[in-house]
């Protein structure tokens, strides 16, 4: 009996000391930002840094339009539209507190879902320190955003179409020695303004906000910020500090996306019920996207 009591007490202690995000209630309680939605863990794609697995993971929603991950992204898209019903939502910064929390993957997922609704969507690799967008989309990064800012290229030279209809990409281009200073220039503001005349929606794949200041700079030029947090990994304190940095510059925070949620975990029972195996039965046709 004593061993049983010690074991139960230890389990409760470990749960209490676990400061990672595990539920929507965690976000509401300590962050003060709405939960835009969840993206379930994609277990069919192997994890790791292998280029093939990375590309397969980033394009999973495009190749599996009836999956639970795709349905979760559609729900997020709807929530974004509702949250911005009273103001235009043209340019959105996508960030995360720290690296490797699913920010670029989420950017591609949301760009894919928005493009499938008939909008002309552009995703821009504004992570000028560790760019990755071009690898997943099979594009060259020899010319891109930095060339535009420096004035030695035009939009038609550097904006690339992708295999996903209505989805376009702007790679980062050559990496500059001073990324934050480059994003603070008036020329970058002019580039964003010109892009907004050509596309219905622009997603800025930014660096992690707690690592560098670039994301805060981008947030001030955006209509809003989507924060990506990884379920069971991202610390609550990190999300609190990240959102505080955006609020300090009066950047609108649209909400938090909870990424890589394991729906087989009993702690996420509500979400398991909500998403179930939606659309994953063999032979099911793709639902109409509106």
């Amino acid at each position: 009996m004593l061993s049983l009591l010690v074991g139960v007490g230890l389990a409760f202690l470990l749960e209490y000391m676990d400061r990672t995000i595990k539920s929507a209630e965690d976000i509401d309680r300590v962050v003060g930002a709405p939960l835009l939605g969840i993206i379930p863990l994609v277990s069919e794609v192997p994890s790791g840094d292998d280029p093939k697995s990375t590309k397969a993971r980033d394009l999973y929603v495009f190749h599996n339009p009836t999956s639970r991950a795709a349905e979760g992204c559609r729900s997020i898209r709807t929530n974004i539209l509702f949250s911005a019903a009273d103001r235009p939502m043209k340019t959105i910064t996508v960030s995360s507190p720290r690296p490797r929390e699913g920010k670029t993957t989420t950017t591609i997922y949301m760009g894919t879902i928005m493009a499938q609704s008939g909008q002309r969507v552009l995703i821009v690799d504004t992570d000028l320190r560790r760019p990755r967008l071009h690898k997943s989309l099979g594009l060259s990064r020899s010319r891109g955003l930095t060339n535009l800012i420096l004035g030695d290229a035009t939009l038609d030279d550097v904006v690339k179409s992708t295999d996903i209809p209505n989805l376009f990409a702007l790679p980062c281009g050559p990496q500059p020695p001073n990324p934050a200073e480059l994003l603070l220039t008036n020329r970058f503001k002019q580039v964003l303004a010109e892009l907004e005349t050509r596309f219905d929606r622009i997603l800025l794949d930014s660096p992690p906000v707690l690592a560098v200041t670039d994301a805060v700079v981008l947030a001030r030029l955006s209509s809003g910020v989507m924060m990506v947090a990884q379920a069971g990994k991202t610390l609550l304190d990190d999300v609190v500090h990240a959102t505080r940095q955006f609020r300090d510059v009066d950047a609108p925070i649209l909400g938090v996306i909870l990424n890589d949620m394991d729906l087989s975990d009993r702690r996420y029972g509500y979400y398991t019920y909500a998403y179930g195996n939606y659309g994953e039965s063999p032979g099911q046709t793709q639902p109409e996207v509106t």
Side-chain angles (χ1 to χ4, degrees), residues 128-226:
L128 305 182
R129 303 168 192 267
R130 298 182 63 182
R132 186 169 71 80
L133 205 60
H134 63 285
K135 296 179 181 178
S136 296
L137 297 175
L139 304 173
S140 170
R141 51 158 288 197
S142 58
R143 291 171 64 81
L145 177 61
T146 53
N147 298 99
L148 272 180
I149 298 175
L150 295 176
D152 61 355
T154 65
L155 288 181
D156 294 331
D157 293 333
V158 294
V159 173
K160 307 296 182 182
S161 60
T162 69
D163 294 335
I164 304 169
N166 294 324
L167 183 65
F168 300 82
L170 175 55
C172 74
Q175 289 180 253
N178 53 345
E181 288 77 7
L182 204 61
L183 297 175
L184 282 168
T185 61
N186 286 327
R187 175 57 187 162
F188 177 63
K189 296 178 183 178
Q190 295 171 1
V191 167
L192 273 185
E194 188 174 355
L195 290 172
E196 288 180 347
T197 64
R198 297 198 180 193
F199 295 93
D200 301 314
R201 199 82 63 185
I202 300 171
L203 301 179
L204 305 180
D205 181 21
S206 77
V209 64
L210 297 183
V212 291
T213 61
D214 304 22
V216 176
V217 174
L218 292 167
R220 295 189 62 186
L221 303 175
S222 305
S223 308
V225 179
M226 289 193 302

Side-chain angles (χ1 to χ4, degrees), residues 104-116:
T104 298
T105 300
T106 300
T107 302
I108 297 175
Y109 283 2
M110 295 310 304
T112 300
I113 292 298
M114 291 176 178
Q116 288 176 344

Side-chain angles (χ1 to χ4, degrees), residues 45 48 50-60 63 108-109 132 134-139 163:
V45 179
D50 178 70
K52 290 184 178 180
S53 63
T54 298
K55 185 174 183 179
R57 182 176 64 249
D58 290 347
L59 298 180
Y60 180 83
H63 292 302
I108 297 175
Y109 283 2
R132 186 169 71 80
H134 63 285
K135 296 179 181 178
S136 296
L137 297 175
L139 304 173
D163 294 335

Side-chain angles (χ1 to χ4, degrees), residues 35-75:
L35 177 69
L36 290 174
I38 68 149
I39 300 178
L41 177 68
V42 177
S43 57
E44 298 91 327
V45 179
S47 59
D49 296 327
D50 178 70
K52 290 184 178 180
S53 63
T54 298
K55 185 174 183 179
R57 182 176 64 249
D58 290 347
L59 298 180
Y60 180 83
V61 163
F62 173 59
H63 292 302
N64 300 272
T66 60
S67 63
R68 290 182 295 181
E71 182 61 21
C73 291
R74 292 189 187 97
S75 177

Side-chain angles (χ1 to χ4, degrees), residues 239-279:
V239 180
V240 171
H241 294 154
T243 52
R244 185 178 300 155
Q245 288 199 32
F246 288 127
R247 290 192 175 111
D248 286 345
V249 297
D250 296 325
I253 300 176
L254 301 179
V256 178
I257 297 173
L258 203 51
N259 183 43
D260 280 353
M261 179 179 282
D262 185 0
L263 297 184
S264 64
D265 193 318
R266 290 185 177 182
R267 291 175 298 181
Y268 310 134
Y270 166 78
Y271 298 103
T272 305
Y273 169 78
Y275 288 89
N277 292 316
Y278 182 87

